[in-house]
Amino acid sequence: KLQNFLPGMACSLNVRLCWIMGKRHSGSKKKFTKRNGRDKMKKYSENGLWIKQDGSEYVIGLSPKGQDDLGDVSFVELLKSETVTPDDSIISVEAAKAVTELLAPLSGTVVAFHDKLEENPEFLNELEEEKNWIVRLNGVDEVEFNALLDEDLPCEQCEVK
């Protein structure tokens, strides 16, 4: 087993992140907080988005479940606004399986939209958070964040890439 080979390693196939001995693989010195082997600072919405707390900001991106639901993304339009609520669309996505608008999972003030997505919609097909994030928010209610899902919903055809 991998855990026997690398003690202290916790891997989650749903989020495709591996952590070794309390440090990120990338060598970051920032410690993470775990709850039953999961990152406390990362949550998921029922509509296929991941939400990660990054200091005072909350970053939202497309989860593996969202990728599976949509298929390969070919076109995106960021629906830019200064503030969002859970009823607001944040992005319109054209993909192999659907054309849809994804709703914000949290209320907050927009700090930044990932403008490169409109030129590179294929970034939403990637697992790397640095590429598949959509929007950064601040002013988010922590209670609202904590009410989100601890794990991504299972997907029928998710594969490790």
Side-chain angles (χ1 to χ4, degrees):
K1 289 185 175 181
L2 191 56
Q3 283 99 354
N4 294 337
F5 181 70
L6 294 171
M9 177 181 241
C11 292
S12 169
L13 293 177
N14 284 342
V15 294
R16 304 337 190 262
L17 296 174
C18 294
W19 304 91
I20 297 181
M21 303 212 206
K23 294 186 179 179
R24 296 179 185 213
H25 261 298
S26 64
S28 168
K29 294 182 180 173
K30 180 180 176 184
K31 292 277 185 178
F32 72 96
T33 311
K34 289 193 325 186
R35 174 182 46 244
N36 299 330
R38 291 185 300 269
D39 186 347
K40 276 187 179 180
M41 308 314 277
K42 190 170 187 178
K43 298 282 192 166
Y44 298 87
S45 71
E46 291 182 11
N47 67 339
L49 297 172
W50 56 262
I51 304 91
K52 186 172 185 178
Q53 187 177 6
D54 184 16
S56 64
E57 296 181 356
Y58 293 77
V59 186
I60 300 170
L62 191 62
S63 74
K65 168 65 172 154
Q67 292 172 344
D68 184 56
D69 287 348
L70 293 171
D72 287 336
V73 175
S74 58
F75 178 81
V76 300
E77 179 183 1
L78 295 167
L79 306 173
K80 297 180 180 181
S81 60
E82 292 181 14
T83 60
V84 294
T85 67
D87 294 330
D88 294 337
S89 296
I90 54 173
I91 188 169
S92 178
V93 179
E94 183 178 319
K97 294 182 184 178
V99 176
T100 190
E101 290 186 1
L102 297 175
L103 302 179
L106 299 168
S107 299
T109 304
V110 174
V111 175
F113 276 96
H114 189 181
D115 291 323
K116 292 182 181 179
L117 285 178
E118 291 183 322
E119 296 171 10
N120 303 287
E122 68 276 3
F123 283 178
L124 287 182
N125 301 323
E126 299 287 332
L127 294 174
E128 298 171 46
E129 293 175 3
E130 296 81 25
K131 288 188 177 182
N132 84 0
W133 68 276
I134 299 166
V135 64
R136 296 179 76 88
L137 304 176
N138 69 13
V140 170
D141 182 357
E142 194 169 323
V143 173
E144 196 176 357
F145 174 73
N146 288 329
L148 295 168
L149 303 171
D150 288 332
E151 294 183 15
D152 199 7
L153 295 172
C155 50
E156 295 175 16
Q157 299 177 10
C158 287
E159 60 184 72
V160 178
K161 296 182 181 181

